[in-house]
PDB file of all heavy atoms in Angstrom:
ATOM      1  N   GLU A  79       8.223   0.606 -11.876  1.00 95.00           N
ATOM      2  CA  GLU A  79       8.251   2.059 -11.786  1.00 95.00           C
ATOM      3  C   GLU A  79       7.880   2.526 -10.395  1.00 95.00           C
ATOM      4  O   GLU A  79       6.976   1.969  -9.766  1.00 95.00           O
ATOM      5  CB  GLU A  79       7.219   2.597 -12.793  1.00 95.00           C
ATOM      6  CG  GLU A  79       7.749   3.753 -13.605  1.00 95.00           C
ATOM      7  CD  GLU A  79       6.779   4.149 -14.686  1.00 95.00           C
ATOM      8  OE1 GLU A  79       5.591   4.398 -14.361  1.00 95.00           O
ATOM      9  OE2 GLU A  79       7.177   4.184 -15.865  1.00 95.00           O
ATOM     10  N   GLN A  80       8.609   3.544  -9.936  1.00 96.00           N
ATOM     11  CA  GLN A  80       8.330   4.087  -8.596  1.00 96.00           C
ATOM     12  C   GLN A  80       8.249   5.607  -8.683  1.00 96.00           C
ATOM     13  O   GLN A  80       9.195   6.226  -9.171  1.00 96.00           O
ATOM     14  CB  GLN A  80       9.435   3.670  -7.619  1.00 96.00           C
ATOM     15  CG  GLN A  80       9.386   4.356  -6.250  1.00 96.00           C
ATOM     16  CD  GLN A  80       8.235   3.867  -5.387  1.00 96.00           C
ATOM     17  OE1 GLN A  80       8.033   2.664  -5.252  1.00 96.00           O
ATOM     18  NE2 GLN A  80       7.497   4.779  -4.787  1.00 96.00           N
ATOM     19  N   ARG A  81       7.181   6.181  -8.206  1.00 96.00           N
ATOM     20  CA  ARG A  81       7.109   7.643  -8.059  1.00 96.00           C
ATOM     21  C   ARG A  81       7.895   8.037  -6.832  1.00 96.00           C
ATOM     22  O   ARG A  81       7.867   7.342  -5.821  1.00 96.00           O
ATOM     23  CB  ARG A  81       5.658   8.079  -7.950  1.00 96.00           C
ATOM     24  CG  ARG A  81       5.522   9.564  -7.681  1.00 96.00           C
ATOM     25  CD  ARG A  81       4.268  10.131  -8.300  1.00 96.00           C
ATOM     26  NE  ARG A  81       4.415  10.249  -9.743  1.00 96.00           N
ATOM     27  CZ  ARG A  81       3.514  10.814 -10.541  1.00 96.00           C
ATOM     28  NH1 ARG A  81       2.419  11.306 -10.042  1.00 96.00           N
ATOM     29  NH2 ARG A  81       3.730  10.875 -11.825  1.00 96.00           N
ATOM     30  N   LEU A  82       8.634   9.147  -6.943  1.00 98.00           N
ATOM     31  CA  LEU A  82       9.409   9.638  -5.815  1.00 98.00           C
ATOM     32  C   LEU A  82       8.628  10.707  -5.067  1.00 98.00           C
ATOM     33  O   LEU A  82       7.887  11.488  -5.665  1.00 98.00           O
ATOM     34  CB  LEU A  82      10.729  10.189  -6.314  1.00 98.00           C
ATOM     35  CG  LEU A  82      11.646   9.185  -7.024  1.00 98.00           C
ATOM     36  CD1 LEU A  82      12.916   9.859  -7.515  1.00 98.00           C
ATOM     37  CD2 LEU A  82      11.977   8.016  -6.102  1.00 98.00           C
ATOM     38  N   TRP A  83       8.826  10.723  -3.779  1.00 98.00           N
ATOM     39  CA  TRP A  83       8.057  11.589  -2.892  1.00 98.00           C
ATOM     40  C   TRP A  83       8.999  12.437  -2.044  1.00 98.00           C
ATOM     41  O   TRP A  83      10.158  12.069  -1.821  1.00 98.00           O
ATOM     42  CB  TRP A  83       7.154  10.735  -1.975  1.00 98.00           C
ATOM     43  CG  TRP A  83       6.275   9.814  -2.745  1.00 98.00           C
ATOM     44  CD1 TRP A  83       6.410   8.478  -2.876  1.00 98.00           C
ATOM     45  CD2 TRP A  83       5.088  10.169  -3.470  1.00 98.00           C
ATOM     46  NE1 TRP A  83       5.395   7.967  -3.653  1.00 98.00           N
ATOM     47  CE2 TRP A  83       4.575   8.972  -4.038  1.00 98.00           C
ATOM     48  CE3 TRP A  83       4.405  11.382  -3.707  1.00 98.00           C
ATOM     49  CZ2 TRP A  83       3.407   8.945  -4.818  1.00 98.00           C
ATOM     50  CZ3 TRP A  83       3.251  11.349  -4.494  1.00 98.00           C
ATOM     51  CH2 TRP A  83       2.785  10.159  -5.024  1.00 98.00           C
ATOM     52  N   PRO A  84       8.481  13.542  -1.486  1.00 98.00           N
ATOM     53  CA  PRO A  84       9.235  14.211  -0.440  1.00 98.00           C
ATOM     54  C   PRO A  84       9.422  13.228   0.741  1.00 98.00           C
ATOM     55  O   PRO A  84       8.593  12.304   0.882  1.00 98.00           O
ATOM     56  CB  PRO A  84       8.344  15.374  -0.021  1.00 98.00           C
ATOM     57  CG  PRO A  84       7.250  15.449  -1.034  1.00 98.00           C
ATOM     58  CD  PRO A  84       7.165  14.120  -1.713  1.00 98.00           C
ATOM     59  N   ASP A  85      10.451  13.421   1.554  1.00 98.00           N
ATOM     60  CA  ASP A  85      10.564  12.616   2.765  1.00 98.00           C
ATOM     61  C   ASP A  85       9.271  12.744   3.555  1.00 98.00           C
ATOM     62  O   ASP A  85       8.773  13.858   3.779  1.00 98.00           O
ATOM     63  CB  ASP A  85      11.709  13.126   3.638  1.00 98.00           C
ATOM     64  CG  ASP A  85      13.094  12.812   3.009  1.00 98.00           C
ATOM     65  OD1 ASP A  85      13.173  12.677   1.795  1.00 98.00           O
ATOM     66  OD2 ASP A  85      14.069  12.763   3.813  1.00 98.00           O
ATOM     67  N   HIS A  86       8.687  11.643   3.959  1.00 98.00           N
ATOM     68  CA  HIS A  86       7.395  11.693   4.666  1.00 98.00           C
ATOM     69  C   HIS A  86       7.267  10.458   5.557  1.00 98.00           C
ATOM     70  O   HIS A  86       7.846   9.429   5.286  1.00 98.00           O
ATOM     71  CB  HIS A  86       6.220  11.763   3.686  1.00 98.00           C
ATOM     72  CG  HIS A  86       6.079  10.511   2.868  1.00 98.00           C
ATOM     73  ND1 HIS A  86       6.849  10.259   1.759  1.00 98.00           N
ATOM     74  CD2 HIS A  86       5.285   9.434   3.022  1.00 98.00           C
ATOM     75  CE1 HIS A  86       6.519   9.075   1.255  1.00 98.00           C
ATOM     76  NE2 HIS A  86       5.574   8.531   1.994  1.00 98.00           N
ATOM     77  N   CYS A  87       6.459  10.590   6.594  1.00 98.00           N
ATOM     78  CA  CYS A  87       6.113   9.476   7.463  1.00 98.00           C
ATOM     79  C   CYS A  87       7.330   8.664   7.889  1.00 98.00           C
ATOM     80  O   CYS A  87       7.339   7.429   7.796  1.00 98.00           O
ATOM     81  CB  CYS A  87       5.036   8.591   6.810  1.00 98.00           C
ATOM     82  SG  CYS A  87       3.485   9.459   6.537  1.00 98.00           S
ATOM     83  N   VAL A  88       8.352   9.373   8.341  1.00 98.00           N
ATOM     84  CA  VAL A  88       9.547   8.730   8.845  1.00 98.00           C
ATOM     85  C   VAL A  88       9.248   8.192  10.258  1.00 98.00           C
ATOM     86  O   VAL A  88       8.703   8.908  11.100  1.00 98.00           O
ATOM     87  CB  VAL A  88      10.744   9.673   8.853  1.00 98.00           C
ATOM     88  CG1 VAL A  88      11.981   9.035   9.476  1.00 98.00           C
ATOM     89  CG2 VAL A  88      11.059  10.114   7.409  1.00 98.00           C
ATOM     90  N   GLN A  89       9.592   6.930  10.442  1.00 98.00           N
ATOM     91  CA  GLN A  89       9.252   6.219  11.695  1.00 98.00           C
ATOM     92  C   GLN A  89       9.576   7.053  12.947  1.00 98.00           C
ATOM     93  O   GLN A  89      10.702   7.536  13.118  1.00 98.00           O
ATOM     94  CB  GLN A  89      10.063   4.908  11.753  1.00 98.00           C
ATOM     95  CG  GLN A  89       9.685   3.958  10.650  1.00 98.00           C
ATOM     96  CD  GLN A  89      10.605   2.759  10.522  1.00 98.00           C
ATOM     97  OE1 GLN A  89      11.634   2.699  11.218  1.00 98.00           O
ATOM     98  NE2 GLN A  89      10.290   1.842   9.633  1.00 98.00           N
ATOM     99  N   GLY A  90       8.582   7.235  13.775  1.00 98.00           N
ATOM    100  CA  GLY A  90       8.792   7.869  15.058  1.00 98.00           C
ATOM    101  C   GLY A  90       8.746   9.385  15.020  1.00 98.00           C
ATOM    102  O   GLY A  90       8.818  10.041  16.077  1.00 98.00           O
ATOM    103  N   THR A  91       8.622   9.996  13.830  1.00 98.00           N
ATOM    104  CA  THR A  91       8.583  11.449  13.751  1.00 98.00           C
ATOM    105  C   THR A  91       7.160  11.950  13.937  1.00 98.00           C
ATOM    106  O   THR A  91       6.189  11.191  13.735  1.00 98.00           O
ATOM    107  CB  THR A  91       9.111  11.969  12.391  1.00 98.00           C
ATOM    108  OG1 THR A  91       8.259  11.466  11.344  1.00 98.00           O
ATOM    109  CG2 THR A  91      10.549  11.491  12.154  1.00 98.00           C
ATOM    110  N   PRO A  92       6.978  13.253  14.303  1.00 98.00           N
ATOM    111  CA  PRO A  92       5.606  13.746  14.442  1.00 98.00           C
ATOM    112  C   PRO A  92       4.784  13.607  13.186  1.00 98.00           C
ATOM    113  O   PRO A  92       3.564  13.385  13.227  1.00 98.00           O
ATOM    114  CB  PRO A  92       5.830  15.228  14.799  1.00 98.00           C
ATOM    115  CG  PRO A  92       7.213  15.292  15.383  1.00 98.00           C
ATOM    116  CD  PRO A  92       8.008  14.222  14.682  1.00 98.00           C
ATOM    117  N   GLY A  93       5.416  13.737  12.010  1.00 98.00           N
ATOM    118  CA  GLY A  93       4.674  13.626  10.748  1.00 98.00           C
ATOM    119  C   GLY A  93       4.082  12.235  10.504  1.00 98.00           C
ATOM    120  O   GLY A  93       3.110  12.077   9.773  1.00 98.00           O
ATOM    121  N   ALA A  94       4.689  11.236  11.100  1.00 98.00           N
ATOM    122  CA  ALA A  94       4.203   9.871  10.922  1.00 98.00           C
ATOM    123  C   ALA A  94       3.087   9.505  11.904  1.00 98.00           C
ATOM    124  O   ALA A  94       2.446   8.475  11.729  1.00 98.00           O
ATOM    125  CB  ALA A  94       5.365   8.889  11.106  1.00 98.00           C
TER     126      ALA A  94
END
Side-chain angles (χ1 to χ4, degrees):
E79 225 173 53
Q80 171 72 47
R81 175 148 286 186
L82 299 178
W83 304 105
D85 289 25
H86 66 280
C87 296
V88 175
Q89 296 170 355
T91 62

